[in-house]
Structure formats: structure tokens, C-alpha cells
Amino acid sequence: SSRVVQIQSQMSERAVELLGLPQDRACLLLDVGCGSGLSGDYISEEGHYWIGLDISPAMLDVAVEREVEGDLLLADVGHGIPFRPGMFDGCISISAVQWLCNADKKSHSPPKRLYRFFSTLYTALARGSRAVLQLYPENSEQLELITAQAMRAGFTGGMVVDYPNSAKAKKFFLCLFVGTSGTLPKGLGTECASEELQQAKFTNERTRFRNVKGKSVKKSRDWILEKKERRRRQGKEVRADTKYTGRKRRPHF
């Protein structure tokens, strides 16, 4: 449903924001549990490159069908991250890591799988970079198990909780640092943020064709042309632009 897509996009935006990437260059990011590539879309729009891992062939098929810009790999991250050391400038993961706490097979040991994931992730990340993993923990024990294995693997950092007082909007982001202990970002909604909301309300109308960050609105003609141009630069095959590009189709009766 579009509600799920919307929440997913918001969490991806927040995760990328928490990565604190350099503004002046394109980065290579790892997306763990990339699914159909929704978070990848946001990474691409921000001008970065990404590789997505997922355990579900069906989800990756959807990503391929949607022509996402990242590279995709079928993988169980409980077996480790299969990339060379220092390759990524950051890692995000939306609602995936808690699955490593489940023992789906007799041979699965959640602490071992988590440690394998975190230790190989630590190696695959460049020094000074971050991993931001949004997750839905079942309980505080699970949260502690995940955090403990991350720290054991060498990460510093901890949990950033957005909107801790709201049952619906509360979100957990495990924010991990590689080789440097940065200051943990503040969770959203942890202090009174009502003034900001007031200001944001009135500007909606005027920015219809460009969103707040000055980017073209999703699915608009400009947005489609920009996406096609990016894909051409990556050497991918793209249909020629015509006057019909980005034009809405008539409804069928």
C-alpha cells in the first residue's frame, strides 16, 4: 500500500540523514535488506550509488522490474557481508536486522549470525563511516542482543530513538561508527518541536513542482528526465526522450 511506501521512504530519508555523508561527493552505500529498492530510490535521488542485499528473490525481482539504479545481490547477511574491506562509505538498513534474531533453521544461532553480520559489515565499511540500521525490536532483550553483537564486532555508537513518546511514530535507529566515536545524533521529537512544524505548514502550496530540498517532485517529467540522464551516465540502455515522456495516460474505461 502507498502508506507503507510512504513510511519506508521517510525512514530511508532519516537513515541517510543520520549517516552524515559528505555533501561534496557521491558515496557508495550498502543497503542491507533492500527489498524492492525503495530506500535505494532515495539514495539515487540524493546523487549517491548503492548496492542492495536481500534474502528474498521475489523482492529482488520487483526491484529489477522497477529498474532501480543500484546493483542487487541475493544474500543472507547472517552468513556475512561478501565485499572487500573498506569498500562502502556507509550502510543503511530499513526494518531488516531484527530478522537475524530468529532461528529459522536448527543450525541457526542468532548471536553467531548477528556477530558474523556485524563483524563483516565493520570490515566492509571505510574508516570514519557509519551504519544506520532502522529496526523493529520485539523487546528490550532483542535490542540488547543486537547492540551487544555490534559493539563486540568493533562498532561504537548506539540507539537513536525518534519520537520516543509516541506509540505510532516511535522509531529505533541503531547508529554505528567505524573507527571513530562520533557524537550520537539526537532523536527527533525528543524536545518540543512544534515551532518548526508551524513554519513548515504554510510553505507547502508554493513548492508544488519542486520539493523542499529543491529537487523535482517524484514522477514529474523533470524527475523522470533526471533519472533517465543518470542511467545514461551509468551506461545503461534508456529509451529516447520524447514529448510523451512523463505524460499521464488517459484513464481506461
Side-chain angles (χ1 to χ4, degrees), residues 1-10 36 38 59 66:
S1 76
S2 63
R3 176 88 188 106
V4 172
V5 169
Q6 190 192 353
I7 291 171
Q8 178 92 10
S9 303
Q10 283 168 354
S36 60
L38 292 173
M59 290 299 264
R66 291 180 60 249

Side-chain angles (χ1 to χ4, degrees), residues 14-28:
R14 178 67 173 138
V16 172
E17 181 190 337
L18 288 169
L19 281 180
L21 297 170
Q23 295 293 310
D24 51 351
R25 65 181 178 89
C27 296
L28 176 64

Side-chain angles (χ1 to χ4, degrees), residues 125-144:
L125 286 165
R127 304 303 90 177
S129 65
R130 295 181 189 178
V132 176
L133 317 168
Q134 180 274 325
L135 41 95
Y136 289 112
E138 266 177 30
N139 46 42
S140 56
E141 287 82 47
Q142 207 177 68
L143 215 50
E144 275 165 38

Side-chain angles (χ1 to χ4, degrees), residues 98 101 114 135-149 159 161 170 172 174:
Q98 73 271 3
C101 296
L114 281 162
L135 41 95
Y136 289 112
E138 266 177 30
N139 46 42
S140 56
E141 287 82 47
Q142 207 177 68
L143 215 50
E144 275 165 38
L145 170 68
I146 293 171
T147 310
Q149 295 305 325
M159 203 58 75
V161 185
K170 187 178 187 178
F172 293 91
L174 184 55

Side-chain angles (χ1 to χ4, degrees), residues 218-232:
K218 197 154 202 167
K219 303 280 190 282
S220 66
R221 181 180 161 87
D222 289 343
W223 181 86
I224 290 168
L225 291 172
E226 285 163 23
K227 176 160 178 167
K228 287 172 82 169
E229 191 42 51
R230 276 202 307 272
R231 290 179 72 88
R232 280 193 197 100

